[in-house]
Every structure is written in structure tokens, then in C-alpha cells.
Amino acid sequence: MKRLQDRVALVFGAGSIGPGWGNGKACAVAYAREGAIVACVDVIAAAAEETVALITAEGGRAMALACDVTKESQVRAVVEAVMAAQGRIDILHNNVGTTKMGGPPDISLDDWHRQLDINLSGAFLACKYVIPIMQAQQKGVITNISSTAAIRYMGYPYASYYAAKGAVNQFTVSVALQYAGDGIRCNAILPGLMDTPLIHQQIAGHYADPAEMIARRHAACPPGRMGTGWDVAHAAVFLASDEAGYINAVLLPVDGGLTARCV
């Protein structure tokens, strides 16, 4: 028996922003490999469909849905569609996130609000509509993807991202403790310096060229290499499994020890 056999996993941000394996894409495939039925959601329908194709090619079960997590009506519609198709939601995985370079003088108020909406309010809206389902089931697992930027200055000037991810951490803790008596567990994964398509889209401009970015990020990690989407995926599968049944309100760094280092 696979660890997540026949459980229904709803993954927001299951597509990839570019070629390769982002955190959400890897997590969706990893859930499916452990027997879950995966609802793959992305703001770009084709990205969700690509992940579904990868899952079904391996004999897994999945469905693709498009959604902008900052739009309440779309989040509600996705949850309703999954319930109509599957009848339950056992795992909620909130992976959607983005960065915006700039300190307070450098970005607009609209930029600030959009960062909070994408990184924080999207998780809130998903929880708003999924928690009542899990309460009725008296069982469920919520995993929010935060960042080591929630607890450390990472060297990048993105104040709005630090603020949003810090809020995700405390949101996670509040949900975990408020609903523990309903059989719901809620944890956050804090990826460190990761080698994913996102960094080429949103971080590369902070360096002279992509090669310099890769080299410097590898060098900054205690193991001498960045993590990958699969490192996050393996942690997510564990947190969703019965093996983690007494793990709740945990903010889990997946960072190769980066945040434990003093310099």
C-alpha cells in the first residue's frame, strides 16, 4: 500500500513557470506516485495540464484546473469542482508564490498588495473553503510553502516577500492550533536556496548573468549545492502521510542547514 493511496490532494501552484521541476510540480507528481488523486491547479491552464500529463503517463490519477488564487470566486470554484469530482479533499497544498525586488521606497503600494495577495491571501482563500470540508471529514492535512526568507534576510532586496512569507508562517501556526481538535494538521515547508525554474524568471536579474547566479547560490549552501523541487516534494509527502500524524504547527526548513548557520 502506498503512503497516500486514494487520498485526494489539491495542489495550488502545481505547474512550473519554466522548463524543469518547480516545487509545486514536483510535489504534485510525488503525491501521485504515493497513490494520491491529484487536482493540479495553476494560473496557467497549460502548466497544470503538463503536470497532469506527467502523472497520467506514469499511471497516476490527476485532473487539471486553472485558477488565480487572488480571486475568491475562482478558488471557491476550484474547491467545488474537486469535491464534485472526488467527493473529498484530504491534502491541501498551497505552493503559489512570487517575488518582487525592491525595498519600500522602490515598489508601489499596488506591488506591495499584490505580493501579499499572491503569497498570503491565496493560502487564506484556499483554507477558507477547504477547512470546512476537512472539519466534516474530521481529517485533513494542509501544507503551506513558505520560505527561509520568512525567518532570515537572504541577501535579496524584496521586503514585500519577506513580509508575506513571515505572515504565512504565523498563519500556518494559527490554523494548526485552531483546528487540531478537528483532526486537521497544518505545517509549512521553508525552502532555502533552491535550483528551480522560478529563480531564472525572478532572481537572475540580481546577478551579472545566470551562470554567476547558479555558482553563487550553490556556494552559499552548506552542502555546496542548492536544493531542488524534489527535496521539497519528499518533505511534503512525509508531512501528508500517516507517519507524520503527530506533527503539527511545524515550520520545516528544507535548506541544507542554511538557516542554522550563523554566517
Side-chain angles (χ1 to χ4, degrees):
M1 179 71 72
K2 294 180 178 180
R3 285 190 286 176
L4 305 177
Q5 190 65 43
D6 297 328
R7 298 182 195 182
V8 178
L10 172 53
V11 180
F12 284 96
S16 181
I17 198 170
W21 291 94
N23 295 331
K25 183 177 175 182
C27 288
V29 171
Y31 285 142
R33 287 177 177 174
E34 286 294 336
I37 303 164
V38 186
C40 299
V41 185
D42 201 87
V43 69
I44 301 172
E49 291 162 1
E50 178 190 13
T51 302
V52 167
L54 291 168
I55 290 170
T56 56
E58 295 183 353
R61 296 166 291 173
M63 58 188 292
L65 298 140
C67 174
D68 179 342
V69 298
T70 69
K71 308 297 184 185
E72 182 174 2
S73 61
Q74 294 186 27
V75 174
R76 182 176 61 245
V78 160
V79 173
E80 290 172 350
V82 175
M83 286 298 291
Q86 308 299 340
R88 61 185 297 114
I89 297 173
D90 301 291
I91 301 160
L92 169 62
H93 184 103
N94 290 312
N95 186 82
V96 177
T98 187
T99 63
K100 178 68 177 181
M101 292 295 177
D106 308 311
I107 64 173
S108 68
L109 183 58
D110 285 344
D111 288 334
W112 171 264
H113 284 308
R114 181 154 180 77
Q115 283 292 293
L116 295 180
D117 281 346
I118 294 173
N119 290 295
L120 176 62
S121 298
F124 158 75
L125 287 172
C127 287
K128 177 178 177 64
Y129 289 102
V130 172
I131 285 174
I133 294 165
M134 292 181 170
Q135 285 179 297
Q137 296 168 174
Q138 284 292 287
K139 187 174 184 181
V141 177
I142 300 169
T143 300
N144 296 320
I145 303 302
S146 179
S147 171
T148 51
I151 59 173
R152 295 288 188 276
Y153 182 75
M154 302 299 292
Y156 298 113
Y158 42 37
S160 54
Y161 185 72
Y162 293 115
K165 289 302 189 181
V168 167
N169 282 9
Q170 197 59 20
F171 175 72
T172 297
V173 170
S174 69
V175 168
L177 298 182
Q178 183 172 351
Y179 299 101
D182 294 312
I184 298 171
R185 296 187 294 108
C186 184
N187 299 290
I189 295 173
L190 282 59
L193 296 175
M194 314 303 283
D195 190 2
T196 65
L198 182 87
I199 67 172
H200 293 277
Q201 296 286 334
Q202 299 184 8
I203 303 293
H206 194 66
Y207 298 87
D209 55 54
E212 182 199 6
M213 173 183 70
I214 296 298
R216 287 178 59 183
R217 285 171 65 94
H218 280 320
C221 298
R225 67 165 182 87
M226 287 185 279
T228 72
W230 292 106
D231 294 309
V232 174
H234 296 320
V237 166
F238 169 69
L239 289 174
S241 74
D242 292 341
E243 295 165 348
Y246 206 59
I247 297 176
N248 193 34
V250 165
L251 308 175
L252 175 65
V254 176
D255 67 352
L258 180 67
T259 53
R261 193 169 61 183
C262 64
V263 292

